[in-house]
Amino acid sequence: MAALVTMRINDKGVSEAIGFMLIFGMVIVGIGLVTLYGYPLLLQQQVSADEKIMEKNMIVLQNDIKSLAYKAVPFKETSLKIGGGSLTVYDSSYSTPSSTIEINDNGNNPYIPPFTPGELRYESMSAQTDIALQNGAVVLRRHVEPGSVMLAEPRWFFDSATNTVVFNLIKITSDTIMSKEGIGTVQMRLVGEPSYSAAPPIPNGQAIKLVYTPTPSGGRQDYSVAWDNYIIKTFDNPPYISMTKSGGPPGSGTPVTYTLTNNGSSDMTLVIKIFEVNIKSL
Amino acid sequence: MARLNDDAQWIILMGFLISFSFFFLALIINQSTVVGQTTAESVIEFPKNDIRDLVGVITTNTSRSNTTVVNSDITVISLHRKNAVVRYSLIQPNPPVDLHSYASIHYNNGVTTYYENWTSL
């Protein structure tokens, strides 16, 4: 008995109330930290996950359009989840188009009427970002910044072996105004035969002029920086084509003219194909 | 004095290890979807059948007369239907010396550029 008494710890300072307050305080601080820092972080994660998912979804839709246009598939359908914003289809004849493309010859005579592609656009309310599928490309733009970036490229190309420039323009149309949030099915079909025009050969020293006019409002839908980078990357082939750029700068809402001058020994062939994709439902 | 029996602490330690390994596995799986998508895309994108069709058409037409017309027809049809820029040249057999025909074929659809030198049997 005596041995046990000497072994006991002195617990005169132990208070149940203080212990309770310590533990309770720790719990409250823990909850507070999670609410103030953890929860917003989780929300942010959710928003950026939604955005990433939509980026992938738009690339899936772009693949659908590729199948319609280049592989002669008549109809395509894709189910997808649209989170954190809405997916809207803008007809090619929409009054403030995000871009107008003109392709002119050396003397500024147009090869085709001014082309407005129309688009499928995802507008994220929470991430303040727009992702648009326009003219066969997927482009992304943050609302607050003048710049934009191309996530997936369209199929415009220059073939140096045959000195051929090919523009594949894709027009998106819809019979009604449609918008979707949540889970939806995008149905699209190819309308008619693609319109195909082979211009007369362009001799050495002559040029093609590509005019890219961004949205007249100069607002959030100006994707000219992304297109500028793409056009330069695709068509600036020094030994064959010498390219000069006038107007702009991209991102300022003003038209940019790209002059592609034939520097090759043979005549340059210009091919413009216009595909019309009709969005049946969202 | 009775002490706590802590022989089973390794169970908790293993729990930690397993949960960390799950975390790393999740990271790896997350990456793999991206890799799978791009690989599958590039396989689908490759215009295998278009190229086979084209080579088939060119190699069965080696003995036709008026090759310039056939050549330009094939070029226009590929551009219109297959969305590809095509150019080829044919060398007809020269009987006593050489019994083979030769074709050099160029194909470009903006994603894939393809060259082939074909020789008949």
Side-chain angles (χ1 to χ4, degrees), chain A residues 55-71:
Chain A
E55 282 179 15
K56 279 186 185 164
N57 279 342
M58 289 307 244
I59 290 173
V60 168
L61 290 176
Q62 189 215 19
N63 277 328
D64 280 3
I65 285 185
K66 275 190 202 163
S67 302
L68 293 178
Y70 310 128
K71 288 177 188 162

Side-chain angles (χ1 to χ4, degrees), chain A residues 35-117:
Chain A
T35 322
L36 285 175
Y37 294 99
Y39 187 59
L41 216 71
L42 273 175
L43 275 183
Q44 211 179 323
Q45 284 289 313
Q46 184 59 46
V47 166
S48 73
D50 278 342
E51 199 188 325
K52 287 271 174 295
I53 289 168
M54 262 332 270
E55 282 179 15
K56 279 186 185 164
N57 279 342
M58 289 307 244
I59 290 173
V60 168
L61 290 176
Q62 189 215 19
N63 277 328
D64 280 3
I65 285 185
K66 275 190 202 163
S67 302
L68 293 178
Y70 310 128
K71 288 177 188 162
V73 179
F75 183 83
K76 270 278 185 182
E77 185 178 280
T78 303
S79 296
L80 42 87
K81 181 183 162 280
I82 304 145
S86 60
L87 184 71
T88 314
V89 57
Y90 291 87
D91 187 85
S92 165
S93 59
Y94 184 63
S95 60
T96 49
S98 67
S99 68
T100 307
I101 289 164
E102 290 162 67
I103 302 170
N104 303 333
D105 69 1
N106 220 22
N108 287 322
N109 302 307
Y111 288 113
I112 51 162
F115 178 79
T116 48

Side-chain angles (χ1 to χ4, degrees), chain A residues 7 56 59-60 63 66 70-71 155-162 164 166 168 193-194 196 271 273 275, chain B residues 1 33-34 37 41 44-45 50 76 79-87 106 108-111 113 115:
Chain A
M7 287 276 287
K56 279 186 185 164
I59 290 173
V60 168
N63 277 328
K66 275 190 202 163
Y70 310 128
K71 288 177 188 162
R155 211 180 269 189
W156 296 4
F157 64 99
F158 170 68
D159 181 49
S160 58
T162 54
T164 307
V166 181
N168 289 308
E193 286 281 302
Y196 165 87
V271 176
K273 291 183 84 172
F275 302 90
Chain B
M1 194 194 120
T33 50
V34 180
Q37 190 191 1
E41 246 175 23
I44 293 165
E45 290 264 307
D50 289 3
V76 169
L79 199 53
H80 199 216
R81 290 283 163 197
K82 305 286 187 187
N83 205 51
V85 175
V86 162
R87 187 178 66 179
H106 164 71
N108 185 356
N109 72 352
V111 182
T113 313
Y115 294 92

Side-chain angles (χ1 to χ4, degrees), chain A residues 139-158:
Chain A
V139 282
L140 178 144
R141 159 134 202 208
R142 305 221 179 273
H143 290 176
V144 289
E145 289 160 26
S148 47
V149 65
M150 193 171 276
L151 302 176
E153 297 178 344
R155 211 180 269 189
W156 296 4
F157 64 99
F158 170 68

Side-chain angles (χ1 to χ4, degrees), chain A residues 4 33 39 75 84 94 112 119 126 143 153 187 199-200 224 257 266 275 277:
Chain A
L4 259 178
L33 279 176
Y39 187 59
F75 183 83
Y94 184 63
I112 51 162
E119 60 191 329
S126 33
H143 290 176
E153 297 178 344
Q187 298 179 322
S224 50
T257 305
S266 58
F275 302 90
V277 173

